[in-house]
């Protein structure tokens, strides 16, 4: 009887794990050259819900994401990457608490003719982070507000190419971006998984300040929610 109970408990436990695995969302698969040797920052304590009435703060490695404000674009002085309220569809702000506090903000721009040789098409996603005199800016182009595919990160004096990563573990993929990678001179500088809960990969040769700045704009991509009108 004891043997039967033990085996029944094992079966029930295994079924529970299968159910949990089936309910888990997709995860981004990091490109091999990004994953090899990179430092991985895992996300913890992140809510599955999003919105103005949800505490969207979470941990990114040993750092904290705080002060997520979805109503920020409606406030006086709204500006991100030189764009104000009149040229954007949606905007939000947040803070990355690392060795210093980085103030971040993102917005979906209604239209853009071009930037840095790219044709931005129907939608541009802009995220900017600042801490003292240091800053980082990412611009991504897309055919619509749900699918941005390429762009650039300005990180100090350097310009990094950003491209879409769409490979996942194959479970319940929704057709939304899985994440993005940033490359400098053809070599990976970092990557971000935008599917919840999210992750960040950082190249080992990034300076501490650049690691924080790049992570800050990556967090903006993780927090982005497309506007309802596309």
């Amino acid at each position: 009887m004891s043997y039967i109970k033990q085996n029944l408990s094992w079966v029930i436990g295994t079924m529970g794990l299968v159910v949990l695995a089936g309910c888990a969302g997709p995860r981004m698969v990091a490109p091999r050259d990004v994953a090899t040797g990179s430092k991985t920052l895992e996300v913890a304590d992140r809510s599955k819900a999003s919105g103005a009435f949800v505490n969207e703060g979470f941990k990114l490695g040993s750092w904290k994401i705080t002060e997520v404000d979805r109503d920020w674009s409606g406030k006086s002085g709204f500006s991100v990457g030189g764009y104000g309220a009149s040229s954007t569809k949606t905007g939000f702000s947040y803070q990355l608490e690392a060795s210093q506090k980085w103030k971040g903000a993102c917005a979906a721009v209604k239209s853009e003719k071009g930037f840095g040789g790219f044709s931005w098409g129907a939608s541009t996603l802009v995220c900017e982070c600042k801490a003292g005199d240091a800053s980082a800016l990412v611009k991504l182009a897309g055919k619509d507000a749900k699918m941005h595919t390429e762009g650039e990160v300005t990180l100090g004096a350097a310009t990094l190419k950003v491209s879409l990563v769409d490979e996942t573990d194959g479970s319940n993929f929704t057709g939304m971006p899985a994440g993005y990678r940033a490359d400098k001179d053809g070599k990976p500088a970092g990557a971000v998984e935008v599917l919840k809960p999210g992750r960040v990969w950082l190249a080992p040769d990034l300076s501490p300040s650049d690691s924080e700045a790049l992570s800050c704009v990556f967090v903006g991509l993780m927090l982005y929610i497309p506007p309802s009108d596309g």
Side-chain angles (χ1 to χ4, degrees), residues 12-28:
I12 292 173
T14 303
M15 290 176 64
L17 291 174
V18 171
V19 170
L20 288 174
C23 293
R27 299 302 304 267
M28 171 182 143

Side-chain angles (χ1 to χ4, degrees), residues 187-198:
K187 297 181 180 180
V192 58
E193 176 187 42
V194 299
L195 300 172
K196 285 188 176 181

Side-chain angles (χ1 to χ4, degrees), residues 71-86 93 105 128 130:
D71 294 328
W72 179 67
S73 61
K75 296 180 180 179
S76 176
F78 166 75
S79 178
V80 53
Y83 299 98
S86 63
S93 63
E128 184 175 29
K130 296 180 179 180

Side-chain angles (χ1 to χ4, degrees), residues 11 14 18 34 42 57 70 80 82 122-123 132 134 141-142 144 151 155 182 190 208 213 230:
V11 171
T14 303
V18 171
V34 171
E42 298 285 352
R70 295 284 178 185
V80 53
S123 177
D144 56 47
L155 190 62

Side-chain angles (χ1 to χ4, degrees), residues 83-215:
Y83 299 98
S86 63
S87 60
T88 60
K89 287 187 174 183
T90 184
F92 59 92
S93 63
Y94 57 96
Q95 186 168 275
L96 169 67
E97 297 182 7
S99 67
Q100 51 186 333
K101 291 184 178 181
W102 293 82
K103 300 288 187 178
C106 295
V109 181
K110 293 178 180 178
S111 63
E112 183 70 17
K113 294 181 179 179
F115 176 81
F118 290 101
S119 177
W120 295 111
S123 177
T124 303
L125 175 59
V126 184
C127 293
E128 184 175 29
C129 286
K130 296 180 179 180
D133 295 330
S135 65
L137 174 70
V138 61
K139 281 189 175 184
L140 295 178
K143 61 181 181 179
D144 56 47
K146 294 180 180 179
M147 182 62 77
H148 299 95
T149 57
E150 63 178 356
E152 296 177 345
V153 171
T154 303
L155 190 62
T159 299
L160 284 60
K161 179 183 178 182
V162 180
S163 53
L164 177 74
V165 177
D166 57 8
E167 185 178 358
T168 72
D169 57 15
S171 58
N172 306 320
F173 190 49
T174 62
M176 299 292 287
Y180 299 91
R181 62 178 293 162
D183 293 274
K184 180 181 179 183
D185 300 326
K187 297 181 180 180
V192 58
E193 176 187 42
V194 299
L195 300 172
K196 285 188 176 181
R199 282 174 290 190
V200 166
W201 292 265
L202 299 170
D205 58 348
L206 284 177
S207 69
S209 178
D210 283 350
S211 294
E212 293 181 10
L214 185 58
S215 296

